[in-house]
Amino acid sequence: MLTKLQIRNFRGFSDLTLTDFGLVNLIVGRNNAGKTSFLEAIKAACSPEQPQALAGLFRPSVGNVDRRFNRWLLRDGIGNDNVELNAAWTEGETALVLRSQKSTTPEPEPTQPFSVWSNGRLGFLDRTAIWKRRGRPLEVKVASVQHRVPEALVSAFGDAVRPKAGETQMESLLQAVDERVKSVRIDFAQNEQPFIVVDIGLSERVPLPQAGQGIYRLVAIFSELLGQHPDLCLIDEVENGIHYTALPQLWKGIAEAASRLKVQVFVTTHSHECLLAAHEAFAVRKDYDLRVIQLYRVGDLTEGRVLDQKHIQAAVDGEIELR
Amino acid sequence: MATPRLQECSRVLVVEGYSDLRFYAEVLESLGRLSGVFIKEFGGRSDLEVKLEDFLRPDLVAAKEAIGVIVDANGDRDSIVARLERRLSVLTGQEVKQGGWTQGGPRIGLLVVGGAAGAGEVETLVWESWIADPANAVAHRCIESFVACMEQNAKLSPRSPEKGRLAALLAIRNDDDPRLGPGAQKKIFDFTRPELDRLCSFLGGLSQ
């Protein structure tokens, strides 16, 4: 499990160190507080071998990736200070240092996307930055769950249920949150793309989007977890497109999957109902393994803290806004 | 009047519960100091220090001009004073002392209220101020007779002596809701009484 993350000079973070993460971590904060940047920091720190995967992962990224995306990984105005991401994992620590220096000669325009990343070197047009790693690399597999249209979800679902164990786990997890679910399959119709159908006890299987928003989102999440077997799962704005009444079901599923599959989950949200649903889902479980990570701005700096069960419960009782 | 929003108010008063919120709002209104004040009630006294840690987030503390905390002394005044002084000092980085305000920023105030003997609740303080007014002497005797009758004949005593007596008064004067806050909004209490000077002085310190 990720136990500590220090972020220096990365995006809006000047120097933030957070510890005491839980199995499931709900990241809250206002717009521009750094929630998505926090996920990007985790992704970069824990799987630096794929830096090019960062662009477009949580934010739309079009055009020149260096100019439109990479340049903004460095906190604005840091001069020659280093960007540093320190991650402590249960089995050890690692640090990534992005050494940023003004180039004597401007970086040439990349001829193909991400080419400047190929050897750990990152060009920022007029800057040079090199990722360097201290300590042994973490063998951490990170998956991110993004919103998928039904057609795109089919492929991820297929990967997840191809092994028989994956199919069994998918159905078992879904039944844990909705006992109507008997089975989930890929269906084919003439002249149509394959699509996912769910047996919920009706006369025939229904297309997945017809089974409810919560189930749809859970199939997407479970597909990623069962297909990729990650150590860490990152989900940005988990409540998007989901009515608040479906959130308890969603969180019941996330809690169950994280526990059974031993995947640490980091989720961002803007929604108070989402926070309440997460708290209630964990409050009835044997182990309350939820943390709320609050990110907020004090002046120009992004700061944060991690809240445990005692603080989350007190905030709910006192109707104290945590977002 | 529209409910104030925390983000839009430069001054914040933290109180224990809903009745307290309505009572202190009424006192502030009588002092002409309610405008620009957000009163946050914690839904009760349980986990008070944890709730303060939750609520007094660094960005909120940095954004306000003044933050006051008023809680009841109950039976453990010295303990609650020591605990809250320590907790507020840690949370705000200032040396917070009960009964006054720091210099800022923001200014932080703490008041632990009770009766003249130090213990009890805000109801104790208000009851003592109400019975000190000669105009209330007859009504006071009636309430004492009622309480004595309940104790002697029905073997029932109020859990909190002053709160019970105040509720008996308000059951007649404001039968919709015989709690302190709603009673104060019906202008039943005189906030100019000298017994309430310390409270009013503290609340006045929210805005300087």
Side-chain angles (χ1 to χ4, degrees):
Chain A
M1 273 209 339
L2 185 67
T3 55
K4 175 185 142 188
L5 185 67
Q6 181 186 24
I7 309 172
R8 288 189 63 238
N9 293 327
F10 181 82
R11 290 205 176 275
F13 296 100
S14 172
D15 192 349
L16 174 71
T17 301
L18 294 179
T19 59
D20 190 33
F21 298 129
L23 184 66
V24 177
N25 303 274
L26 187 55
I27 304 164
V28 297
R30 295 181 187 170
N31 281 339
N32 206 29
K35 299 185 296 297
T36 303
S37 299
F38 193 84
L39 294 184
E40 288 172 331
I42 294 173
K43 172 74 178 169
C46 294
S47 57
E49 71 283 1
Q50 295 178 307
Q52 70 275 18
L54 214 50
L57 187 62
F58 299 114
R59 308 170 196 266
S61 180
V62 292
N64 182 313
V65 72
D66 282 337
R67 186 183 292 127
R68 301 282 181 90
F69 184 84
N70 292 338
R71 180 256 177 271
W72 300 101
L73 293 177
L74 279 64
R75 189 168 72 85
D76 200 35
I78 62 168
N80 288 333
D81 284 353
N82 294 334
V83 175
E84 199 163 331
L85 301 171
N86 290 292
W89 196 256
T90 325
E91 293 85 18
E93 290 197 18
T94 195
L96 273 177
V97 179
L98 187 60
R99 200 174 299 284
S100 161
Q101 290 180 330
K102 191 91 172 173
S103 300
T104 49
T105 53
E107 273 302 306
E109 286 282 325
T111 52
Q112 53 182 317
F114 317 130
S115 61
V116 290
W117 284 96
S118 59
N119 56 3
R121 190 158 181 252
L122 174 62
F124 293 106
L125 303 178
D126 67 337
R127 284 182 170 274
T128 298
I130 299 175
W131 284 112
K132 288 191 172 177
R133 189 184 353 235
R134 285 201 305 257
R136 71 181 183 86
L138 297 177
E139 293 176 4
V140 177
K141 194 167 179 185
V142 183
S144 69
V145 179
Q146 301 313 306
H147 299 284
R148 292 177 186 271
V149 294
E151 294 77 17
L153 180 56
V154 169
S155 156
F157 175 79
D159 290 343
V161 300
R162 197 164 296 120
K164 194 158 178 55
E167 182 181 28
T168 307
Q169 280 188 305
M170 172 71 76
E171 291 178 358
S172 169
L173 282 167
L174 289 171
Q175 282 159 7
V177 294
D178 187 343
E179 56 191 23
R180 295 177 309 158
V181 176
K182 312 287 185 238
S183 63
V184 193
R185 298 282 183 273
I186 295 177
D187 201 356
F188 297 87
Q190 200 168 15
N191 301 323
E192 280 187 31
Q193 296 285 332
F195 55 103
I196 301 170
V197 291
V198 187
D199 179 359
I200 53 172
L202 301 181
S203 56
E204 63 178 274
R205 293 189 173 95
V206 298
L208 179 60
Q210 303 297 324
Q213 298 166 315
I215 291 293
Y216 182 90
R217 195 87 166 101
L218 283 174
V219 168
I221 293 170
F222 296 163
S223 295
E224 216 70 49
L225 298 184
L226 293 168
Q228 295 193 37
H229 303 287
D231 304 288
L232 268 174
C233 176
L234 310 175
I235 308 174
D236 200 20
E237 298 186 359
V238 70
E239 79 280 7
N240 266 5
I242 297 184
H243 192 261
Y244 74 94
T245 53
L247 290 171
Q249 183 186 50
L250 177 72
W251 275 104
K252 190 175 176 187
I254 291 174
E256 192 67 28
S259 171
R260 282 196 206 181
L261 305 176
K262 300 191 183 347
V263 181
Q264 192 178 22
V265 182
F266 287 81
V267 179
T268 72
T269 185
H270 284 114
S271 156
H272 180 62
E273 289 93 349
C274 186
L275 197 154
L276 283 179
H279 169 65
E280 285 163 10
F282 279 89
V284 297
R285 295 180 67 83
K286 183 166 165 279
D287 296 315
Y288 187 101
D289 212 346
L290 173 72
R291 300 287 186 279
V292 168
I293 299 172
Q294 287 183 303
L295 297 176
Y296 44 83
R297 295 183 77 86
V298 180
D300 291 334
L301 302 179
T302 296
E303 295 186 7
R305 61 184 186 177
V306 180
L307 302 181
D308 59 9
Q309 179 181 12
K310 180 177 70 170
H311 286 85
I312 300 167
Q313 184 65 58
V316 170
D317 293 343
E319 296 184 4
I320 295 166
E321 178 67 78
L322 291 182
R323 290 173 299 168
Chain B
M1 199 171 90
T3 305
R5 290 161 53 94
L6 177 60
Q7 287 80 3
E8 293 162 1
C9 294
S10 59
R11 298 179 296 281
V12 177
L13 181 66
V14 176
V15 301
E16 288 182 27
Y18 179 67
S19 172
D20 300 305
L21 182 156
R22 292 182 66 177
F23 173 74
Y24 292 116
E26 196 59 30
V27 180
L28 282 165
E29 178 76 24
S30 77
L31 296 171
R33 301 286 180 93
L34 183 59
S35 177
V37 176
F38 181 88
I39 306 179
K40 173 61 189 169
E41 59 101 352
F42 275 174
R45 187 185 177 85
S46 63
D47 296 319
L48 191 60
E49 290 166 81
V50 182
K51 287 173 182 169
L52 280 172
E53 287 173 358
D54 280 342
F55 183 65
L56 297 181
R57 216 168 69 174
D59 56 332
L60 180 120
V61 173
K64 301 304 176 191
E65 290 175 13
I67 300 170
V69 177
I70 301 186
V71 298
D72 292 341
N74 289 355
D76 56 352
R77 179 187 174 80
D78 290 346
S79 164
I80 192 77
V81 167
R83 279 167 30 215
L84 290 185
E85 282 182 347
R86 192 165 52 242
R87 185 68 59 186
L88 287 171
S89 297
V90 168
L91 289 172
T92 64
Q94 302 180 51
E95 191 175 354
V96 178
K97 289 293 177 191
Q98 195 281 141
W101 293 86
T102 64
Q103 294 300 307
R107 287 178 299 105
I108 306 295
L110 168 65
L111 187 69
V112 178
V113 293
E121 303 106 354
V122 63
E123 284 86 351
T124 312
L125 178 66
V126 174
W127 174 254
E128 288 177 355
S129 87
W130 186 80
I131 63 174
D133 186 345
N136 298 324
V138 174
H140 179 206
R141 280 199 300 276
C142 295
I143 292 169
E144 292 298 347
S145 299
F146 163 71
V147 174
C149 180
M150 291 292 284
E151 286 176 340
Q152 287 163 20
N153 300 313
K155 308 297 180 201
L156 294 172
S157 298
R159 188 168 53 86
S160 164
E162 294 82 16
K163 200 180 258 186
R165 285 164 170 77
L166 208 55
L169 166 69
L170 293 172
I172 300 296
R173 298 289 310 275
N174 187 38
D175 60 2
D176 287 343
D177 190 340
R179 289 180 297 172
L180 175 65
Q185 290 191 303
K186 289 292 173 71
K187 316 293 183 196
I188 291 167
F189 306 109
D190 178 3
F191 299 134
T192 64
R193 295 287 311 165
E195 295 81 8
L196 300 178
D197 280 353
R198 196 164 146 266
L199 173 64
C200 291
S201 169
F202 178 82
L203 287 171
L206 253 181
S207 46
Q208 282 184 337

